[in-house]
Amino acid sequence: MPQLNPNPWLFTMLIAWLTLSMILQPKLLSFITTNLPTHKTQTAIKTTPWTWPWT
């Protein structure tokens, strides 16, 4: 079965992965701005006890 032979496809996969990770990824990440972390104020949650109708 020629599909199981990794010889012709392994080199192509490695070159494509290296191209993506070394060349394209830094160029794409330079256009994406990340959101700065903001501090949210914590509000106290006021809970009321559940009143059971049968008690």
Side-chain angles (χ1 to χ4, degrees):
M1 297 178 74
Q3 294 90 351
L4 298 178
N5 185 8
N7 192 17
W9 301 109
L10 183 63
F11 182 71
T12 305
M13 183 196 68
L14 289 176
I15 293 298
W17 183 79
L18 286 173
T19 302
L20 177 68
S21 63
M22 297 293 179
I23 297 171
L24 294 177
Q25 188 178 15
K27 290 184 181 222
L28 290 174
L29 288 177
S30 68
F31 291 112
I32 300 171
T33 59
T34 57
N35 294 331
L36 296 174
T38 57
H39 297 289
K40 292 184 177 181
T41 58
Q42 293 193 6
T43 57
I45 300 172
K46 185 177 181 182
T47 60
T48 57
W50 183 265
T51 54
W52 297 97
W54 54 81
T55 58

